[in-house]
Amino acid sequence: MQDIRVERTKQPKAKPADSDRLGFGQYFTDHMFLMNYDAGQGWHDPRIVPYGPLQMDPAAMCLHYGQEVFEGMKAYRGPDGGVVLFRPDRNMARLNLSNERLCIPLIDEALGVEAVKKLVEIDQDWIPQAKDTALYIRPFIIAVDPHLGVHPASQLLFMIILSPVGAYYPEGLNPVKIYVERHYVRAVRGGMGFTKTGGNYAASLKAQDEAEKKGYTQVLWLDGIERKYIEEVGTMNVFFKINGEIVTPALQGSILGGITRLSAIEMLRSWGYTVNERKISLDEVVKSAKDGTLEEAFGTGTAAVISPIGELMVDEDRLIINQGEIGPVAQRLYDTLTDIQNCRIPDPFGWVVRVDQ
Ligand code: COI
């Protein structure tokens, strides 16, 4: 594995005073990781340097054609003072899945994990301590060739930045209101929906903006072809508990394979729940809400963790789920997942990785 060179800042920044009010992604730490790719040379020069602006040619390809991928993960400090990551190997594997789809040269996944560990270790004093906070980690890759022809880049930059964060939604663990989107679609099979690339999020902004103006936190996407099947919610995968069965849309190429989604499925199955990854139509959800068999709905995501859904707006129909309260499954998932991530309980799954090991 290549050695990661380190240049420490001589001017550490003041940390946010109030770790109860961090919001999401508003503060950045003292250092960042960079590594370049040049055709013929491969990925080279991995380094950690003081955090700061990039110098980039205005013709850099990522600025024009969106050849870009990213990841989201979190670091936590346990009660014994040790700093841990949650399933970082999964994030690096997914980064390469996105890379492959976007014609970005694959990275060495072990080096990616090592870079995260080293950067987090250096900036560990930025890990916030208030309840439900963490240090959010944002690895990303951008195409930087100065070139306006549309083709895969031959020069790229892999970077990692860190941000102390609180809850993603202002609601925290209180149930969110979700607007079912009929008009806009996020992705179709064969497109890039399964990748973490900026374009998917750009495609979501219009619907998100309109939903927020109507008083909703996020939108629920339907499939782009039949507009019938449930895909995912804004920044989360989605689960429904209907008549005892827990259902989440199967990964069929247009939705993101969330790591929190996977962990929730594994945890629920270990507790004896039936969890099915399958097609689920909006009609099935509406019917179950009306006949009283829809017990719970919740989203999962790195940023959002577990977010109960208290209301679904379907056309003119307001469907209230579990009286607008968090349900027992979402609560247990949230408690257990965050207890494991923060090392408050033993991790029976082997998901937690110390940064100094
Ligand atoms: C995450 O959950 O890490 C995400 O990437 C969602 C993000 C776009 C805020």
Side-chain angles (χ1 to χ4, degrees), residues 70-245:
F70 72 96
E71 272 303 317
M73 48 206 290
K74 283 177 174 168
Y76 313 81
R77 189 184 294 283
D80 70 349
V83 177
V84 299
L85 304 171
F86 184 73
R87 312 188 84 173
D89 53 326
R90 291 275 172 179
N91 289 92
M92 291 303 152
R94 188 172 64 185
L95 188 61
N96 267 343
L97 196 73
S98 302
N99 283 340
E100 202 278 327
R101 177 64 181 81
L102 277 111
C103 294
I104 292 175
L106 303 191
I107 59 149
D108 172 349
E109 291 171 23
L111 177 63
V113 172
E114 196 48 39
V116 169
K117 284 183 172 173
K118 205 157 181 165
L119 183 61
V120 168
E121 204 170 12
I122 289 174
D123 278 345
Q124 59 175 283
D125 290 348
W126 287 80
I127 300 174
Q129 287 310 293
K131 191 170 176 313
D132 300 331
T133 61
L135 187 65
Y136 187 76
I137 303 164
R138 171 53 61 86
F140 61 104
I141 301 177
I142 53 177
V144 295
D145 299 35
H147 210 293
L148 295 184
V150 179
H151 59 77
S154 56
Q155 293 170 19
L156 298 105
L157 197 55
F158 175 21
M159 298 190 60
I160 307 172
I161 56 175
L162 308 175
S163 173
V165 297
Y168 186 73
Y169 299 125
E171 288 92 336
L173 192 55
N174 293 321
V176 290
K177 290 164 65 179
I178 303 289
Y179 185 84
V180 177
E181 179 55 56
R182 291 279 200 188
H183 179 67
Y184 303 108
V185 300
R186 173 185 171 274
V188 288
R189 255 194 285 165
M192 306 189 299
F194 67 94
T195 69
K196 245 176 138 46
T197 184
N200 288 330
Y201 295 81
S204 77
L205 294 176
K206 182 86 174 148
Q208 170 70 25
D209 189 47
E210 290 182 10
E212 275 178 26
K213 287 188 178 130
K214 291 181 191 127
Y216 289 85
T217 310
Q218 297 243 319
V219 303
L220 177 74
W221 297 107
L222 299 179
D223 77 276
I225 297 171
E226 295 179 73
R227 312 275 182 115
K228 197 171 156 187
Y229 296 101
I230 288 174
E231 298 248 301
E232 61 183 47
V233 169
T235 60
M236 307 186 289
N237 293 114
V238 66
F239 289 70
F240 299 92
K241 181 161 182 263
I242 302 176
N243 215 5
E245 177 199 11

